[in-house]
């Protein structure tokens, strides 16, 4: 009798927990459904991916790949980087994504401020053209934040171009130390933090993983 009563009690507890779980999940679903119902505005987003951790550019390229997969027209402008082979570029150019690359490498490599400013300005002029092009659905400005930190490109000019782009055009900006004015303007901001990095332990950058 004891075992039978125990089984009955256990069954009741299990039913009670199942009912409680179902109720919690229903409440959660109701809240999510309400948020979905409330989010009816459609327009281009400004997305910022910043922070000191690895993966900012990778995230940006992932969004570009997703957009292309849905048939959107995408473009990439790369600041700072450009002297290394780029696996994403090799893949995405074949999918019709246009690339404009500053191609000076890192500033500590060139050690020539005037050359870097000239290269940044040249690529920025192309960026402004893209920000006026209604045929471009998504743009990735990879490492643009550095250009603002170094004052190679005027902040007010960047903000004006972003604010006056086609209404349905999406823009992704990556890089460390994003300026507060850009963060305030953005619709979505993600900060990637570094917990550990292989390079700090003497492990070289790996092809297909780091570049």
């Amino acid at each position: 009798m004891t075992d039978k009563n125990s089984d009955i009690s256990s069954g009741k507890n299990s039913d009670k927990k199942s009912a409680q779980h179902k109720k919690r999940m229903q409440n959660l679903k109701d809240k999510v459904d309400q948020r979905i119902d409330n989010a009816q505005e459609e327009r281009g987003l400004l997305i910022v991916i910043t922070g000191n951790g690895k993966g900012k550019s990778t995230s940006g390229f992932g969004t570009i790949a997703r957009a292309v997969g849905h048939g959107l027209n995408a473009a990439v402008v790369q600041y700072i980087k450009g002297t290394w082979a780029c696996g994403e570029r090799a893949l995405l150019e074949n999918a019709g994504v246009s690339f404009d690359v500053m191609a000076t490498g890192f500033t500590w490599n060139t050690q020539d401020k005037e050359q870097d400013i000239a290269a940044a300005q040249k690529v920025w002029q192309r960026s402004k053209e893209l920000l006026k092009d209604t045929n471009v659905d998504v743009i990735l400005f990879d490492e643009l934040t550095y250009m603002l930190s170094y004052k190679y490109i005027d902040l007010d000019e960047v903000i004006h171009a972003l604010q006056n782009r086609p209404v349905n055009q999406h823009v992704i900006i990556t890089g460390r130390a994003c300026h507060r004015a850009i963060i305030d303007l953005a619709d979505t901001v993600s900060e990637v933090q570094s917990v550990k990095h292989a390079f700090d332990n003497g492990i070289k950058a790996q092809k297909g993983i780091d570049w």
Side-chain angles (χ1 to χ4, degrees):
M1 292 295 293
T2 302
D3 290 342
K4 184 177 181 180
N5 291 336
S6 178
D7 289 343
I8 293 173
S9 177
S10 176
K12 288 181 178 179
N13 287 336
S14 178
D15 291 344
K16 182 179 179 181
K17 289 181 179 179
S18 179
Q20 289 173 339
H21 174 76
K22 184 176 181 180
K23 184 178 180 179
R24 286 196 301 270
M25 292 302 101
Q26 185 60 53
N27 288 337
L28 177 60
K29 181 180 184 302
D30 290 343
K31 291 178 181 178
V32 172
D33 288 346
Q34 185 61 56
R35 293 183 66 189
I36 292 173
D37 289 341
N38 291 339
Q40 294 301 313
E41 182 182 2
E42 290 190 34
R43 61 174 174 79
L45 300 177
L46 174 58
I47 301 170
V48 170
I49 308 168
T50 191
N52 296 327
K54 170 182 166 55
K56 297 180 292 294
S57 295
T58 305
S59 177
F61 278 118
T63 303
I64 293 295
R66 173 183 289 169
V68 172
H70 283 290
L72 301 183
N73 293 322
V76 174
V77 178
Q78 287 185 286
Y79 292 89
I80 296 294
K81 299 174 184 176
T83 56
W84 287 14
C86 177
E88 296 93 340
R89 180 178 181 181
L91 178 69
L92 292 170
E93 278 189 326
N94 287 330
V97 178
S98 69
F99 273 71
D100 290 277
V101 184
M102 187 168 156
T104 56
F106 296 100
T107 53
W108 54 84
N109 287 329
T110 64
Q111 300 179 16
D112 188 332
K113 184 176 181 180
E114 295 306 315
Q115 175 185 321
D116 288 342
I117 291 174
Q121 284 293 326
K122 181 178 179 180
V123 176
W124 172 239
Q125 295 308 310
R126 173 56 180 157
S127 300
K128 288 195 294 184
E129 292 174 5
L130 291 170
L131 287 168
K132 295 177 181 178
D133 192 339
T134 57
N135 293 316
V136 179
D137 302 306
V138 190
I139 309 170
L140 169 61
F141 292 128
D142 187 34
E143 312 288 11
L144 174 63
T145 61
Y146 290 94
M147 300 298 97
L148 300 175
S149 296
Y150 299 156
K151 294 181 171 55
Y152 290 178
I153 299 174
D154 181 69
L155 174 63
D156 291 337
E157 188 175 342
V158 172
I159 291 175
H160 181 268
L162 291 171
Q163 289 177 325
N164 290 278
R165 72 188 192 277
V167 67
N168 291 317
Q169 187 181 78
H170 306 287
V171 173
I172 308 157
I173 295 174
T174 70
R176 297 188 180 198
C178 185
H179 196 284
R180 172 54 61 180
I182 301 295
I183 289 176
D184 290 343
L185 184 64
D187 298 289
T188 298
V189 179
S190 295
E191 186 172 16
V192 182
Q193 292 299 332
S194 180
V195 177
K196 295 174 68 176
H197 198 300
F199 183 72
D200 296 333
N201 291 318
I203 300 174
K204 67 186 297 185
Q206 305 292 303
K207 180 180 180 180
I209 303 300
D210 296 298
W211 51 278

